[in-house]
Amino acid sequence: MSAYEMNFDGLVGPTHNYGGLSYGNVASQSNSQAVSSPKQAAKQGLAKMKALMEMGFKQGVLAPQERPDVAVLRRLGFTGSDAQVIQRAAKEAMPLLVASCSASSMWTANACTVSPSADTADGRVHFTAANLNCKFHRSIEHPTTSRVLGAMFADERHFAHHAALPAVSQFGDEGAANHTRFCKDYGEAGVEFFVYGRSAFDSRYPAPQRYPARQTLEASQAVARLHGLSEAGVVYAQQNPVVIDQGVFHNDVIAVGNGEVLFYHQDAFLDTDKVLAELGDKLGRRGGNFQAVCVPRDAVTVEDAVRSYLFNSQLLSRADGSMLLIVPEECRNNANVWSYLQQLTSGNGPIRAVQVFDLKQSMQNGGGPACLRLRVALKDNELEAVNPGVIMTPALYDRLTGWVDKHYRDQLSESELADPQLLVECRAALDELTQILKLGSVYPFQLA
Ligand code: SUG
């Protein structure tokens, strides 16, 4: 049976804005309160999905969320009609309204962690929604994320869904952004690589001093248990706390893996040699030949990596076996990174080509190509069980582009988030979207 890696990209929601909400994420902080363009953001994302589909990759789409999240504002004590709740929050606690408006669910690498069926004890594909509890605006995503994933991967014979881990910092979980899978073939048992920033219970693990470490070892271990992974198929590594303090808030800002290849920065991990040896050994036992491509700090500094998002790239296997790196425009604008990429792709290594995408609207919030996609490895029969409404086709691309044109604003500034009409627009858009994507009722306003 054939198997594929499918990328499910987050469709950027109608309230995309620059809230400055993510302490430790340099781009989010430095673009705080800039005027955004939700329409352009959604179209940039759709253009990437279309291009990958046209290159022959399997591409899907993950729906955005209802924002502002009026229910969370009510939980925080704002009362009255929906419009009154929004206006009271705007007057009394603007940062809470801004958080409730974030379109951050677009970064679907943080939606959940996925283990393909070849790795799990019961032979099903397992999903654990990420609690994202390091940031308030992201901690409110998982209930809707779970419903959307449930509507996309509904067949219980093939798919198993787990609720987010307990929402406390000890179990801080950021989903697939800190998870990579190595394998010889997508359909064969692989090695799942979990990278954490700190341990919640063991003080021997050094923690960053400046910025938060969002993922804990204990969260990663819980996900591996829930998914029924075997010890032979799991490797844990600690992220270097020094790079977290330089703005590497997720592992996918400093490393990316695919197939048998890990592309990483020299300073990404602690105990790098030990980690690589364990990956090589465990993948070797599963018939794979692990290849580590290290980017030396002399060629690309951590600062360059954070600015350019070189590692927040999609590493994709092409039909001829070579790999293609999908990078953001910011990589071409950085002389060190661009010259490194020329050298990388002209060598004999596994990565042979680079393709650049303009994702500026998302990048300004610290979300590159890899943040925008959730990878799900699927066998033929599992792919057939996916809700066909979310699989990208030329017709769906056209339909979604028209939908964005109809519902999205060209510009959005912070003061406009106080406009109750934005909620009305968002609900109208999402109601239509659930019909386009055949999701059924997944949003709070549809379930009320
Ligand atoms: O969680 N930015 C997101 C970016 C997530 C990137 N994802 C991965 N690396 N996989 C975050 O920090 C900024 C929102 C704002 O400031 O308006 C934000 O949430």
Side-chain angles (χ1 to χ4, degrees):
M1 199 180 314
S2 305
Y4 316 86
E5 176 186 276
M6 186 151 180
N7 284 281
F8 291 87
D9 278 45
L11 187 55
V12 178
T15 59
H16 160 63
N17 73 96
Y18 298 116
L21 300 171
S22 279
Y23 180 64
N25 167 344
V26 178
S28 153
Q29 298 273 272
S30 51
N31 291 300
S32 180
Q33 304 201 343
V35 175
S36 66
S37 173
K39 190 177 277 182
Q40 198 186 21
K43 288 194 173 176
Q44 288 174 345
L46 280 166
K48 174 164 87 78
M49 296 184 226
K50 178 171 186 263
L52 266 65
M53 170 188 70
E54 286 173 348
M55 282 187 258
F57 297 107
K58 304 229 176 287
Q59 181 68 52
V61 58
L62 219 149
Q65 303 209 350
E66 179 184 345
R67 294 290 181 268
D69 184 338
V70 180
V72 87
L73 293 173
R74 289 186 191 282
R75 277 170 63 198
L76 297 173
F78 300 102
T79 55
S81 64
D82 288 346
Q84 285 167 332
V85 165
I86 291 165
Q87 281 164 341
R88 284 178 181 154
K91 196 160 152 239
E92 294 169 33
M94 194 58 186
L96 297 182
L97 177 64
V98 174
S100 80
C101 287
S102 179
S104 53
S105 67
M106 73 173 85
W107 299 298
T108 54
N110 305 116
C112 62
T113 306
V114 187
S115 293
S117 58
D119 296 352
T120 63
D122 67 1
R124 294 189 293 168
V125 183
H126 281 245
F127 301 80
T128 296
N131 61 27
L132 298 172
N133 70 10
C134 183
K135 308 286 176 213
F136 169 56
H137 71 288
R138 303 221 60 185
S139 70
I140 58 180
E141 292 174 29
H142 69 86
T144 297
T145 299
S146 290
R147 281 193 297 274
V148 173
L149 289 172
M152 295 165 67
F153 304 98
D155 188 334
E156 288 177 11
R157 285 169 305 169
H158 295 295
F159 307 120
H161 294 273
H162 306 278
L165 299 179
V168 288
S169 69
Q170 283 98 329
F171 295 109
D173 178 20
E174 300 276 318
N178 295 316
H179 173 260
T180 307
R181 176 175 185 261
F182 300 101
C183 57
K184 188 169 163 52
D185 180 272
Y186 293 122
E188 289 173 22
V191 176
E192 300 201 16
F193 183 41
F194 290 86
V195 181
Y196 56 91
R198 68 189 164 94
S199 164
F201 299 117
D202 191 336
S203 57
R204 283 172 303 175
Y205 292 83
Q209 302 297 304
R210 185 176 177 208
Y211 292 143
R214 299 194 195 184
Q215 181 87 31
T216 67
L217 169 61
E218 291 75 12
S220 300
Q221 289 169 329
V223 172
R225 268 192 301 273
L226 285 166
H227 292 193
L229 305 181
S230 73
E231 214 189 306
V234 174
V235 174
Y236 298 100
Q238 184 171 0
Q239 207 181 348
N240 182 353
V242 174
V243 302
I244 296 179
D245 281 338
Q246 288 176 272
V248 181
F249 56 97
H250 287 138
N251 178 60
D252 70 4
V253 176
I254 198 137
V256 58
N258 172 48
E260 299 171 303
V261 176
L262 171 65
F263 179 61
Y264 72 104
H265 189 275
Q266 184 177 4
D267 294 323
F269 311 111
L270 289 183
D271 294 327
T272 308
D273 291 345
K274 192 166 151 262
V275 170
L276 299 182
E278 192 179 348
L279 285 170
D281 180 48
K282 288 189 168 168
L283 188 62
R285 286 168 201 268
R286 302 212 143 166
N289 174 27
F290 180 64
Q291 298 167 62
V293 180
C294 176
V295 180
R297 65 178 82 88
D298 289 348
V300 175
T301 62
V302 172
E303 195 188 341
D304 279 336
V306 170
R307 278 217 189 118
S308 66
Y309 262 38
L310 166 62
F311 297 95
N312 199 261
S313 46
Q314 287 179 252
L315 188 55
L316 301 169
S317 297
R318 299 192 291 187
D320 67 2
S322 70
M323 290 193 191
L324 161 70
L325 205 59
I326 302 287
V327 300
E329 185 82 49
E330 284 72 3
C331 285
R332 189 156 51 194
N333 299 339
N334 181 305
N336 289 341
V337 168
W338 195 241
S339 102
Y340 172 80
L341 282 171
Q342 303 314 304
Q343 182 205 320
L344 176 77
T345 49
S346 58
N348 291 328
I351 304 171
R352 293 293 171 85
V354 171
Q355 190 150 338
V356 176
F357 282 85
D358 176 5
L359 297 164
K360 191 160 180 243
Q361 286 288 325
S362 168
M363 282 290 288
Q364 292 186 151
N365 255 338
C371 302
L372 285 162
R373 62 93 172 95
L374 177 71
R375 296 190 278 188
V376 186
L378 295 164
K379 295 180 182 166
D380 275 329
N381 57 342
E382 295 158 353
L383 183 56
E384 274 168 32
V386 176
N387 180 342
V390 299
I391 296 177
M392 189 53 79
T393 60
L396 180 60
Y397 170 81
D398 288 343
R399 195 128 186 240
L400 290 174
T401 304
W403 171 83
V404 169
D405 278 329
K406 176 174 163 195
H407 293 284
Y408 281 49
R409 296 191 184 188
D410 284 310
Q411 290 206 327
L412 197 55
S413 62
E414 189 184 89
S415 60
E416 287 166 313
L417 300 178
D419 175 6
Q421 187 58 26
L422 192 58
L423 175 66
V424 176
E425 289 168 24
C426 182
R427 285 179 175 167
L430 295 184
D431 215 26
E432 194 179 326
L433 183 69
T434 47
Q435 291 165 43
I436 297 173
L437 300 180
K438 303 190 172 54
L439 291 174
S441 297
V442 289
Y443 296 115
F445 75 92
Q446 296 174 319
L447 298 167

